[in-house]
Amino acid sequence: MTTAQLEKTEHSVDDFAKAPVNASLTSKQKLGFLRDMLRIRRFEQASLKLYQQGKMGGFLHLYIGQESVAVGTCSLLTPDDHCITAYREHGHAIVMGMTMDECMAELLGKSTGCSKGKGGSMHFFAPDKNFWGGHGIVAGQTPIGLGIAFALKYREIKGCCLTFLGDGAVNQGVFHESLNIAALWGVPVVFIVENNGYSMGTSLARSSSIRSCLAERANAYAMDWDIVNGENLYEVRAKSVEAITRAREESKPTLLEINTYRYYGHSVADANTKKYRKAEEIEFYKQNHDPIRLWEKQLKAEGVADDEKIAAIDHEARQEAARSVQFAEESPFPELQEIFDDVYYEVDQGTEAGHTGRHFFND
Amino acid sequence: MPVITYRQALNAALAEELARDENVVIIGEEVAEYNGAYKITEGLWKKFGSRRVVDTPISEGGFLGLGVGAAMMGLRPVMELMFWSFAYVGFDQIVNNAGCIRYMSGGLINLPLVIRGPANGGTNVGATHSHTPENFLGNTPGLKVVSPATPYDAKGLMKTAIRDNDPVCVMENTLLYGDLGEVPEEEYTIPLGVADVKREGKDISLIGHGRAVITALRAAERLAEEFDISAEVVDLRSIRPLDEETILASVRKTHRAVLVDENKPFCGVSAQIATMIQEYAFDDLDAPVTRVCALDAPAIYSPPLEEHQLPTADRIIEKVLAVC
């Protein structure tokens, strides 16, 4: 989507502020959204610094610029709802309740990391918080989200699974298979395409054949869909709650396309990040469409927060991120022998099955 | 003891586990209303209904991934692949997701998932339908792989696979589905990781899995009758975990081994067995370990030729005579 188009689709914040799901919000909750968005951003800025210092291996896919999507959608979840996404997942992980400490330690490959240093940036998990990853293969998580929602329906639980993917994932076969099964069987899943305009270095226009938007592809599967301006937290919540309610109450899936923007490359290792889009484009978004700035503006207009309050929340977020860096740096790496833990449940639990036969074939 | 087919044994295992555990759900193409492409699930839909026995669209990646997600939530999905060859369409879900998620979550997640179906050549359906990927899957830490050769083993291994808390790939064989064997009526299970000596012998060990065991038994019979050679036949039953002790004990007894394997030779399951024998039983060997594998080309269609592409009793006997 071009910047001109984005401006054209801009809605009045007030329209969505009046939606019941938003009208009922307390000041505390509204400040909580700001806190979560700032925590995500400060966490990632701190992680970027570590990456640039060479303290981290592999890839680092930053969510910076997209924070309102995870915060807005996940703020609607109850203990019966679940969340799964791809590899740009730090924001979802934090808003689902994972601590910065365990996440930062995982980035550094430490044994105190959420996955004991076995997953890395793309593979955060917290099943106890209904957060199911963190998946590295584009669209590979989409049928898993379908399966999580299938299990809810099987057990007659009125919940849903928010299944996030990027705009680059919409052209994978397995995503279409998942859409078809979801609609065919009435599975309570909400597919959320976070459309940041680029599948790695290939723009939407060069990667996807569409008439007007990606979400309308749901028409092919007789599925409900909607398109959302992701910079507007009220709109994200107002439109997402409809999809979530449809899943919970009617056991029907929805395809949501939430337009958003990422400030950094596909990953920090994206060498072409300044070649496939102009610096002015990035700057334009930062100046005019930054979801955190817009929400701050909104809170000030509503009299919920002033500059001082916002600065205090931001300060806390920075402090928390700084503490997590210290925690991660001071944590130990896993021991070599731990390579063989967490491969097989039966082995880890020391069950009879785990002791029967050879499971590992080193020398 | 009742004599039933390999197919009926699998069907009984599925029926018993469906009845035993509400979390067991059978999912796959044609498993319900059609009664199963190979009739392994015959009657189950009628007995257990559409909630427990679920027909899918032809979307291997989609439904295998669905099984992974359902298993994450504590269901025990038994996913049928009409052919294991079709797993290649959904390989990402099997290897990256079923195989790696437990590890990448630092052990927070486990996947009580079974993926089952036939994995064999020899039915003149061409290369795309004749793959035997037990070596690929055995090469993936995180997955378990079993391959029953008889009705008794098929039932016992299937029940254990369903109760196991890790993902288990059960590799069956369409050419064995009609084979008859004794299967007790009373409840039993067979642990994964325990091989079975299907025939005792003293001169040479024939070691294999799946239908190769049946071929080896036929060769052993002829070796005894025609050449007075006493061949022991070791059935791996489980490829990962692997019963190293039974294999090595047999080789230490007979001092010779021919490995029989319907995998292609390059990095086939038998290659792993061969390296294990030379490493741990080298001093016990009186001859080099040799192999009879599927001939190293894509599965040929032409019926009389395909018969020769897979291990035959003749090829086994030839290899045995070269070292005995």
Side-chain angles (χ1 to χ4, degrees), chain B residues 247-299:
Chain B
I247 297 165
L248 295 176
S250 178
V251 173
R252 285 180 182 134
K253 180 169 84 171
T254 64
H255 308 294
R256 288 176 175 80
V258 170
L259 314 182
V260 190
D261 191 354
E262 292 196 351
N263 270 182
K264 299 298 185 319
F266 192 91
C267 298
V269 169
S270 53
Q272 176 65 32
I273 308 298
T275 194
M276 196 182 80
I277 293 172
Q278 74 83 21
E279 191 163 356
Y280 297 109
F282 187 78
D283 291 340
D284 294 289
L285 287 172
D286 286 343
V289 175
T290 58
R291 297 192 293 159
V292 178
C293 297
L295 297 180
D296 202 11

Side-chain angles (χ1 to χ4, degrees), chain B residues 76-198:
Chain B
R76 293 184 173 271
V78 179
M79 314 301 295
E80 173 169 315
L81 287 165
M82 196 181 292
F83 293 84
W84 261 103
S85 292
F86 300 170
Y88 296 16
V89 177
F91 221 49
D92 178 47
Q93 297 303 325
I94 300 174
V95 176
N96 276 321
N97 290 344
C100 299
I101 281 176
R102 173 170 180 75
Y103 198 68
M104 294 192 302
S105 70
L108 294 173
I109 294 170
N110 71 291
L111 296 161
L113 176 74
V114 170
I115 308 173
R116 55 153 292 270
N120 59 283
T123 57
N124 322 130
V125 287
T128 56
H129 287 56
S130 304
H131 293 291
T132 55
E134 53 268 34
N135 55 335
F136 296 176
L137 300 163
N139 191 247
T140 305
L143 297 179
K144 296 177 177 177
V145 184
V146 300
S147 181
T150 65
Y152 178 84
D153 291 343
K155 183 174 179 189
L157 289 170
M158 182 62 74
K159 285 171 72 87
T160 308
I162 294 171
R163 296 180 194 186
D164 197 274
N165 289 300
D166 292 305
V168 184
C169 303
V170 182
M171 324 295 282
E172 304 158 10
N173 191 312
T174 57
L175 294 171
L176 299 179
Y177 280 158
D179 280 11
L180 289 163
E182 286 189 335
V183 176
E185 270 173 46
E186 61 270 22
E187 164 89 10
Y188 72 97
T189 57
I190 297 171
L192 310 186
V194 178
D196 184 39
V197 177
K198 286 278 192 284

Side-chain angles (χ1 to χ4, degrees), chain A residues 115 177 344-345 348 358 363, chain B residues 62 102 143 166 242 244 280:
Chain A
S115 299
E177 295 175 23
Y344 294 105
Y345 174 91
D348 295 335
R358 188 164 176 178
D363 55 66
Chain B
R102 173 170 180 75
L143 297 179
D166 292 305
L242 184 69
E244 195 175 81
Y280 297 109

Side-chain angles (χ1 to χ4, degrees), chain A residues 82 114-116 118-119 123 125 127 132 135 137 140 143-144 146-148 150-152 154-155 174 177-178 180-181 184-185 338-339 341-346 348 353 356-363, chain B residues 22-24 51-52 54-55 57 59 61-62 65-66 69-70 72-75 92-93 96-97 101-110 142-144 165-166 192-194 240-242 244 272 279-280:
Chain A
H82 297 257
C114 50
S115 299
K116 306 180 190 166
K118 290 176 174 172
H123 308 111
F125 294 86
W132 297 98
H135 294 269
I137 303 293
I144 300 180
L146 175 73
I148 291 167
F150 172 89
L152 291 173
Y154 186 88
R155 293 204 164 129
V174 79
E177 295 175 23
S178 301
N180 181 55
I181 295 173
L184 187 71
W185 295 356
E338 290 172 42
I339 284 185
D341 296 338
D342 309 314
V343 180
Y344 294 105
Y345 174 91
E346 302 286 359
D348 295 335
T356 306
R358 188 164 176 178
H359 288 75
F360 300 99
F361 294 84
N362 310 290
D363 55 66
Chain B
E22 176 74 11
N23 289 316
V24 175
R51 179 168 167 265
R52 309 289 306 282
V54 186
D55 277 328
S59 303
L66 180 146
M72 280 174 157
M73 295 285 284
L75 299 191
D92 178 47
Q93 297 303 325
N96 276 321
N97 290 344
I101 281 176
R102 173 170 180 75
Y103 198 68
M104 294 192 302
S105 70
L108 294 173
I109 294 170
N110 71 291
L143 297 179
K144 296 177 177 177
N165 289 300
D166 292 305
L192 310 186
V194 178
R240 188 170 188 149
L242 184 69
E244 195 175 81
Q272 176 65 32
E279 191 163 356
Y280 297 109

